[in-house]
Amino acid sequence: PYLRVHDDPAYVREMSDDTFERLLPALAGIRQVLFSGSGEPLMNRRLPEFIDKARRANPSMDIGLITNGTILT
C-alpha cells in the first residue's frame, strides 16, 4: 500500500555521512546489512561509498539492497 508519509518532504531524506560513520562500528558484529529506505536507495549518490565502507567494516558480512527499481526503467 502507498504510505502518505512519503509525500512529506521532511520525512524523505538521505542518511547523513555522520550518522553512517557512527553506525560503522556496529557492523563488526552482524551477519547482514540491507540498504533500503522510504524512497529509492539507488537515488542516494553516496550509496556506493556507504557500501564500500560497510564492506571494509566487516568483510565477511552479506550486503543487500532493496530497491523498487525506479531508476532501472
Side-chain angles (χ1 to χ4, degrees):
Y2 180 77
L3 302 176
R4 296 213 181 273
V5 69
H6 297 147
D7 292 334
D8 182 355
Y11 178 79
V12 179
R13 57 183 183 224
E14 296 175 350
M15 181 180 291
S16 72
D17 293 332
D18 183 56
T19 298
F20 189 78
E21 292 291 333
R22 286 185 285 144
L23 292 171
L24 284 175
L27 297 182
I30 65 172
R31 294 182 353 188
Q32 181 182 49
V33 66
L34 293 172
F35 287 90
S36 66
S38 64
E40 174 50 63
L42 293 176
M43 296 296 290
N44 185 331
R45 68 187 190 293
R46 294 184 315 269
L47 181 65
E49 176 186 344
F50 285 176
I51 292 172
D52 184 56
K53 287 181 178 184
R55 172 62 64 214
R56 284 187 271 133
N58 184 343
S60 64
M61 158 179 75
D62 290 333
I63 296 176
L65 175 69
I66 298 174
T67 177
N68 63 20
T70 297
I71 67 170
L72 300 176
T73 60

